[in-house]
Amino acid sequence: MLKSITRASLVSYHDGALWVGYFNIFGDSNVQSFQVSAVIKGREKAGVKLTARNIRSNELKSEQRWQAVDKIQGLTFSDTRAYFSQSYGLDDSRIYVFATTGRPQQFTPEKALLKIRMPAHLEQITLDGNRLYAVFESGAKAYALNAKTRIGRVVSFDIDTLVKEAKQNDDAKAQ
């Protein structure tokens, strides 16, 4: 049971921790990490694995909590970066890229290393090697009629190319 978070809009696993994010359209979104491989009943036990029974019988306590970009839908990690997807309504979505070295105090827009513009209705994202996989729901019946771009599948991107193009677009706008 995760008492410190009322609703979850994203769940990710990274480096022995379950990361859970709370979506808010008006701000005050947050993400929390929960050590799931070692903390059971508030005591550290080496080698204890998380099971459904452990979750039901024990409250997992948040290790850390960060303020996050509003309207968060997904989160994934590389070795040195955290990638948050942000989406709500018909507006373009974004992927915010953050450094994870030095454990940031916030995952807010002004702390982002890069903002990558994406089509509307971007939901969950994940990295596998150099590929970023993105789930869009703009192809769903509820959204398809009003969506500028309809994407009803998982889309794969080369992360290096995506970052390079986003940086070039930022540089062009600055000139």
Side-chain angles (χ1 to χ4, degrees):
M1 186 176 337
L2 306 175
K3 289 188 177 183
S4 63
I5 197 157
T6 56
R7 264 188 356 242
S9 62
L10 66 86
V11 176
S12 187
Y13 180 80
H14 175 67
D15 198 25
L18 185 66
W19 292 72
V20 182
Y22 173 74
F23 175 107
N24 190 337
I25 60 171
F26 303 110
D28 290 337
S29 294
N30 70 73
V31 65
Q32 299 175 43
S33 66
F34 300 84
Q35 287 300 113
V36 296
S37 59
V39 180
I40 302 295
K41 287 192 177 182
R43 294 176 293 179
E44 292 202 12
K45 295 183 179 181
V48 174
K49 294 193 184 225
L50 185 69
T51 66
R53 184 176 180 192
N54 290 343
I55 291 173
R56 286 191 303 271
S57 64
N58 301 294
E59 177 186 339
L60 292 175
K61 295 194 178 12
S62 176
E63 292 282 310
Q64 291 192 303
R65 178 185 184 127
W66 295 270
Q67 183 180 353
V69 173
D70 62 344
K71 305 170 192 160
I72 53 177
Q73 297 279 0
L75 169 63
T76 191
F77 295 90
S78 70
D79 290 339
T80 60
R81 303 280 187 259
Y83 300 81
F84 283 86
S85 61
Q86 176 196 56
S87 180
Y88 183 75
L90 299 174
D91 295 332
D92 287 341
S93 301
R94 300 251 185 294
I95 294 175
Y96 287 84
V97 183
F98 296 91
T100 55
T101 53
R103 291 290 188 181
Q105 297 299 311
Q106 302 175 6
F107 291 110
T108 56
E110 58 276 359
K111 302 284 185 186
L113 299 174
L114 185 64
K115 298 168 194 152
I116 303 170
R117 196 165 154 192
M118 300 293 281
H121 301 288
L122 172 62
E123 296 292 315
Q124 299 298 325
I125 55 175
T126 192
L127 278 171
D128 183 29
N130 202 44
R131 305 299 301 176
L132 176 83
Y133 295 90
V135 176
F136 291 86
E137 66 177 359
S138 54
K141 188 176 183 179
Y143 307 112
L145 290 176
N146 295 321
K148 292 183 268 185
T149 305
R150 287 187 282 289
I151 305 171
R153 62 185 54 89
V154 176
V155 180
S156 170
F157 301 94
D158 176 87
I159 193 65
D160 293 336
T161 302
L162 193 64
V163 166
K164 181 180 175 184
E165 289 177 2
K167 284 181 180 177
Q168 287 174 344
N169 287 339
D170 280 353
D171 291 343
K173 286 179 188 177
Q175 294 178 0

